Amino acid sequence: MDTHLTLNFLSAYVHHHKYYLNAWRTKGLSWNWGAALFGEAWFAFRKMYLFATIIYSVNLCVGLLLGLIGLDDATFYEIYIVFAILQRVLFALTANFLYYVSAVKAIKKAHSKHTTLDLEETKKLGGTSVRAVIVVVLINLCFSLLDRFLA
């Protein structure tokens, strides 16, 4: 695929969302408020399910490790809040780049399977998933309820 075609496919993948196209042109770190504020929900919304799963796994492991250390509640929450803030800054700085890499990978994979991949198919491949956000909210709710009952 040549560069012009790739730009057309990327544009279709993000549903012609100028924010991402501009962020990707800068080729470096850029700030993404959606990723900063919503974390794993943003990754799931953008159909980056592997990243959302990794984030959940890391958060679960950090929470369990901090719990096993036997910290008092105040210290546990202070450490976890610092961890969460650092994590969200990392998400905000890397989200646009990770989304670009994910989009290119998905387009190349689909193009290798279908030599006649068109822009409409690419648009369906990309975009967003409200269902994934609902799943994230439900998982968060389950973890919150589980935490309440186990405490």
Side-chain angles (χ1 to χ4, degrees), residues 13 59-60 117 122 124 141:
Y13 189 88
N59 289 344
L60 186 62
L117 182 69
T122 305
K124 291 176 188 172
L141 182 64

Side-chain angles (χ1 to χ4, degrees), residues 5 12 17 21 24-25 36 38 41 50 63 68 75 79 91 97 102 104-105 115 120 123-124 129-130 135 143-144 146:
L5 282 177
H17 203 297
L21 299 175
W24 294 342
R25 281 190 190 102
F38 301 108
L50 178 62
L68 289 174
T75 306
I79 292 172
F91 295 162
F97 173 75
S102 179
V104 169
K105 184 178 176 183
T115 54
E120 278 304 310
K123 192 173 184 178
K124 291 176 188 172
S129 174
V130 174
V135 169
F143 277 129
S144 294
L146 187 64

Side-chain angles (χ1 to χ4, degrees), residues 31-88:
W31 190 266
N32 184 308
W33 278 107
L37 296 174
F38 301 108
E40 64 277 354
W42 180 87
F43 286 94
F45 182 66
R46 287 286 161 195
K47 297 184 176 180
M48 297 169 61
Y49 307 122
L50 178 62
F51 288 108
T53 303
I54 290 169
I55 293 166
Y56 263 116
S57 300
V58 168
N59 289 344
L60 186 62
C61 289
V62 168
L64 288 173
L65 287 173
L66 289 176
L68 289 174
I69 293 173
L71 302 171
D72 61 276
D73 285 348
T75 306
F76 173 89
Y77 289 119
E78 288 171 1
I79 292 172
Y80 200 82
I81 286 172
V82 170
F83 168 75
I85 291 169
L86 292 174
Q87 186 182 52
R88 294 303 174 98

Side-chain angles (χ1 to χ4, degrees), residues 98-119:
L98 293 173
Y99 190 33
Y100 173 78
V101 170
S102 179
V104 169
K105 184 178 176 183
I107 292 167
K108 284 183 178 181
K109 183 178 178 181
H111 195 270
S112 70
K113 290 181 180 178
H114 310 284
T115 54
T116 59
L117 182 69
D118 67 2
L119 295 177

